[in-house]
Amino acid sequence: ENARRQFPVTTLIVTHDLAEAARLAETIAVMRPGRLEKCGHLDDLYASPASNYVAALIDRALAASAQLKPR
């Protein structure tokens, strides 16, 4: 978190771990083969998932990680 503020550069991180993405990124892009499903802050993804795929991803991640809590 401190490094992100100290060195404000755009970085692309690819992960399948939504808790890690929420911890490391301000903006999360959920991709499905060939297309972007939803892009935004974790709170945006949680409040307005945009598709059943994103909703299921959020539900699985919340169930699997005590660290992942929307604001």
Side-chain angles (χ1 to χ4, degrees):
E1 179 82 19
N2 291 335
R4 184 173 51 182
R5 289 192 180 124
Q6 187 177 2
F7 304 106
V9 297
T10 301
T11 305
L12 175 66
I13 300 169
V14 178
T15 182
H16 291 252
D17 183 340
L18 194 54
E20 179 181 50
R23 193 172 53 252
L24 296 174
E26 293 177 17
T27 304
I28 299 170
V30 177
M31 299 194 69
R32 193 170 183 184
R35 68 178 200 230
L36 178 64
E37 289 281 327
K38 177 81 176 187
C39 187
H41 188 273
L42 176 63
D43 295 340
D44 300 330
L45 273 64
Y46 181 76
S48 178
S51 71
N52 290 336
Y53 177 81
V54 177
L57 177 70
I58 295 285
D59 289 344
R60 284 193 309 270
L62 287 171
S65 176
Q67 301 171 17
L68 185 64
K69 299 288 183 233
R71 288 186 227 166

